[in-house]
Amino acid sequence: MNKRILEMIGGRLAIAILSLFLVSLAVFFITELLPGDTAQELLGQAVTTEAAAQLRETLGLDRPAILRYFEWIFGLLTGDLGYSHVSDRPVANLVAERLPNSLTLAAITMAITIPLALGLGIFAAIWKGSIFDRAISSAAIMLVSFPEFMIATLLVMWLSVYMQWLPALSFIPATADFRTIVLAFIMPVSVLVFGSCSQMIRLSRAAIADAMATPYVEMAMLKGASRSRMVLRHALPNAVAPIVNSVALSMSGLLGGVIIVETVFNYPGLAKLMVDGVSTRDMPLIQTCSMIFCGFYLVLITAADIIAILSNPRLR
Amino acid sequence: MTVSAAPRRKLRFHIRPIAAICLAVVLFWAAIALFAPLLVHYPVGDMVSYDYFGPMSKEYWLGTDYLGRDIYSRLIVGARYTIGIAFVGLILAALIGITLGLFAAAFGGLFDTILSRAIDTFVGIPNLLLALVIVAGGGSSIPILVFAITIIFFPGCYRFTRSMAINVNALDFIAAARARGEGHFYVMIHEILPNIVGPIMADLGLRFVHIILLLSGLSFLGLGVQPPFADWGAMVRENMIGISYGSPAVVVPSLALASLALAINLLIDNLPQRIRDQLE
Amino acid sequence: MTIHSKTVGETLVKVEDLKVTATTDSGRKIEILKGVSFDVRRGEVLALIGESGSGKTTIALSLLAYARSGCHFSGGRVLLNGKDLMTLSEKERQKLRGNTVSYVPQSAAASFNPSKKIMDQVVEVAEIHGILDKAAARQKAIGLFRSLSLPSPDTIGDRYPHQVSGGQLQRLAAAMALIGDPELVVFDEPTTALDVTTQIEVLKAFKSAILDRGMTGVYVSHDLAVVAQISDRIIVLKDGEVQEAGETEQIVGAPAHPYTQALISAFEPVEAEPAGSRPASSAVLEMRDVVAGYGNVKSDGKPHIVAVDGVSLTLQRGHSLGVIGESGCGKSTLLRVAAGLLPAASGDCVLDGRPLRPQVDARGKDELRKMQIVFQLADTALNPAQTVGNIIGRPLTFYHGMKGEARDSRVIELLDMVRMPAQFRHRLPRELSGGQRQRVNLARALAAKPDVLLCDEITSALDTVVAAKVLELLKELQRELQLSYLFVSHDIHTVQSLCDEVMVMFGGRKLETFAAADLHAEARHPYTKLLASSLPTLDPTWLDNLKQDPELVRKFAHA
């Protein structure tokens, strides 16, 4: 660990904080400035303009947007996540109920996807050109082409409707036993794994393949190294940065998958809450949920960048 | 000395059979989208049969949906929505992204730094999330969907074009042009662009797949194309209850979507090596 | 060889009618080796010499039972100790590589894994083949480092590849090849990427290692003079076929084949015209106290990284000024400053008595026209998406407003000027050979009708024979068109044959300027003498007789 590395990591963290700030600007002003009026929406179409104006005043929507932005940001920083007028509850309460469910779903998925996808990608690279490689590559290209909702509906059709093995919805009652919980999770997690692993397989295989084409791997081969030694000892250590990066990028896809999956299976997570919020135009809820998701995503991207920095031998 | 005519250049690409099949599928859907009004059997909103979730028949080629509407006609028009909205969004995103990317690479310096940092903001927001935020702010109309696609996908075009252009910009023939006294625009249009057009086109193809998947995902959530009209994603959504009946109403639009996405992905995967080498 | 006697034993390697075929992307098949046969006997060093595309590296790799991707063995045999390598299984090939036959790569800098310590990579051979335990292998490696005269042999292995110099890496790669005590060592252009002063050190280390061990080697190179120092026999290759084979003295002294003769003749010293034979006319280009570099300008007015530090020069009209120095001495940066591609931090550039603005955008079109730059690598200096006609035609349109018919016939004239047929204007750069590309590169510069050509190592990337022809062309063009050349090169030989005056640079500074004919004069700067003496000659005894002041070498060489 030296000064240069610390400086670079510090730089990455600073950029992450700046990005989060810019993201908050983007989220707030896209939701506020695009045509569409919250007050009108809340009251329905038939309302008079006076009533709408009245409501706007109570909600504080008549004040300048920039002022409201800073109030919102200050609120977020001090733990005040805003108030949902649609469900008439503090956003913090809604989020607290749902966030753990989404995190559980995402964590289970990541715990399965990352080792699975990287393993398949790396083995496909080791046996490049073999039947295994071609099967994996073809499967990956098919999976990136299929939308998650399609995989989800087909799975439901097969496993719930025809076979009747698994519940079609993942609503878990409080009294559920372990078996019920596991059964409820199988399909949502499978869909997410299918949806998020293909990109990771393709990118990690490509990263290894790039490293395999370098003169130093050829040199290793000319020293008598076996193919697995070339991949594991020589190519892999130099492909850490792109692989970690591919994992972080796949997380964007995973989040998209979570949004779809929670809706299909009626899973009580934060993403479902947000989708419902969009239908009802519950802006404080949408804004807060967006910031939570973006925050998690930026943490992952920044972690990937830092791992990439640490893996660069020139900085040791 | 005689001035000889320029010899015709032979296309020395080896076209694989799978690429040809994929190209045919893509062209098929493009033609369907283009000529949709000529191909429909019934107006898309009309309930033409009392039999909802009806089976495939001579009258209703692909059966009927949950309201007894003709799925074949809805699929044809759905192609128009899915492909049309995605295509317009792609073109806008590409125009903005490629132009800014070329500018950033040709001018460099502070201009590049600030632009790249600002555009990276959008990369910090996952695609579908940003789409939700935009739809939340602007409502689900077709212009807003196009706007959302443009905003979500131009940063990728920008970054790809910029990195390709920066690689080319470092080559000596660019230095030679600059030493000659050529302006930024000449360098951008005549020296850089012709060398990166191939990979950019291939990259746009991959992006198009992402766009149709995102758009149909939004519609599937009920936030995309609104009833009574439907793109393929919305068709899956509205017929979800048909799952229990094993109705074609759910499967057909899914398959249409998958066939188009897979064809484009496979087509690009089987492009001539020279172009593929430059893709990532 | 004459100086030392070696015991040359029975045949170790027998290559019979070896054929290698490559398949291109479009499915076309090209024969890279068209039936090559030769023997290597125990205890001798055999050199494979040839230009790019001659198939020499393909042969070298076939001795390790390996063909690069896209290539395959299509015929013949490679017998090592009587066993055909072509019939070995993948497992047997792995056992062979590094253990029985080892390899020293062209660019050690690229061939060392950047993320592993050097020692781990050197002893990996022993680890893979289970020859020695780790501690013994490390001891042996340190001994090899010492015998290859590497600095601090005990600790150099604990560094990462990017922490040692190119010359050291090349010797470390040799240590890596020797640790398994192989029966045959294949050297693949191991000194090509090095500066001349560094090359000497590495060659000496290689030679003593070869002699000490009575090693059997195959040494691949494009440089006859280097090979003459190290090999017992030479095989001359061209286009995948053996042209001539013989003892080193015979090939170098009395070549039989016309191609070998052409290679040798490129080495013949060109008589530099005696100083003063061409009267100094007026100065066409002057640079005064130029300081340039990269990064922000600091408070003392110099950039963060200084590449050119207070250099002045004067180029006479119709003359050539050669700038020589080793990599990183600032010679190419100097040219970019002159062209305005890298604005000088301070100092002046004067063309035809009129001061030029530092950056290219601020200069007038006519000022730009008068001075044209020609780059080293014609591969990257020509836009791959444009035809030769458009490449040459653009300056005609840009500077002279020529269009259509007039432009086309001028393009043909220019092609003729660089001795190329008119129909080449329809070709794309990738459809030309290296030498042809460099001619197009020249023709584009000539299209502007310049007074001064700034030439950046324009013959360095070319094969010997082709480079000689390009140099000849440059001389003719100078006579016909009254051109003035600022000619940057690392090769003192090239500069001496072309230029009236020579300027020597080291570490961004000018050391001295002198008339080309006075290169060997007593008054030369010690570094100039070092450079001149480091250039190998065809004399096989040259390396053994070479006396260089070690103090001087330490001061100037990057080894």
Side-chain angles (χ1 to χ4, degrees), chain C residues 112-113 115-122 157-161:
Chain C
F112 271 99
N113 189 331
S115 65
K116 296 179 78 177
K117 285 182 181 167
I118 290 166
M119 180 56 91
D120 294 338
Q121 302 188 54
V122 171
D158 298 327
R159 299 194 209 165
Y160 285 96

Side-chain angles (χ1 to χ4, degrees), chain B residues 47-54 60 64-69:
Chain B
M47 289 164 229
V48 290
S49 165
Y50 291 110
D51 189 12
Y52 56 90
F53 292 127
Y60 313 112
T64 57
D65 73 355
Y66 76 114
L67 291 175
R69 296 175 294 192

Side-chain angles (χ1 to χ4, degrees), chain B residues 90 94 98 153-164 196-211 264-265 268 271 275 278-280:
Chain B
L90 177 76
I98 293 171
F153 287 93
F154 93 89
C157 296
Y158 166 82
R159 278 154 63 110
F160 186 80
T161 307
R162 178 178 168 275
S163 73
M164 297 291 302
I196 60 176
V197 156
I200 286 181
M201 285 300 153
D203 177 66
L204 288 182
L206 294 178
R207 260 174 236 291
F208 186 71
V209 173
H210 285 130
I211 293 178
I264 297 176
N265 272 336
I268 288 160
L271 280 179
I275 297 175
Q278 295 177 313
L279 278 173
E280 292 185 83

Side-chain angles (χ1 to χ4, degrees), chain B residues 175-193:
Chain B
R178 291 190 192 283
R180 196 189 307 140
E182 304 280 8
H184 286 307
F185 283 96
Y186 178 86
V187 169
M188 258 166 30
I189 304 296
H190 294 275
E191 303 279 356
I192 298 180
L193 195 57

Side-chain angles (χ1 to χ4, degrees), chain C residues 2-51:
Chain C
T2 43
I3 301 299
H4 45 267
S5 59
K6 291 212 291 195
T7 45
V8 173
E10 78 280 23
T11 302
L12 175 66
V13 179
K14 192 166 188 61
V15 175
E16 289 174 352
D17 197 29
L18 180 65
K19 288 180 181 154
V20 172
T21 308
T23 314
T24 65
D25 187 34
S26 53
R28 226 153 32 100
K29 290 198 186 307
I30 301 167
E31 274 214 318
I32 297 181
L33 296 182
K34 300 164 186 162
V36 170
S37 306
F38 61 88
D39 293 345
V40 186
R41 282 163 298 189
R42 267 184 206 283
E44 75 167 352
V45 175
L46 174 77
L48 299 175
I49 193 139
E51 306 190 325

Side-chain angles (χ1 to χ4, degrees), chain B residues 160-181:
Chain B
F160 186 80
T161 307
R162 178 178 168 275
S163 73
M164 297 291 302
I166 280 179
N167 286 344
V168 174
N169 200 27
L171 298 176
D172 285 343
F173 67 85
I174 303 291
R178 291 190 192 283
R180 196 189 307 140

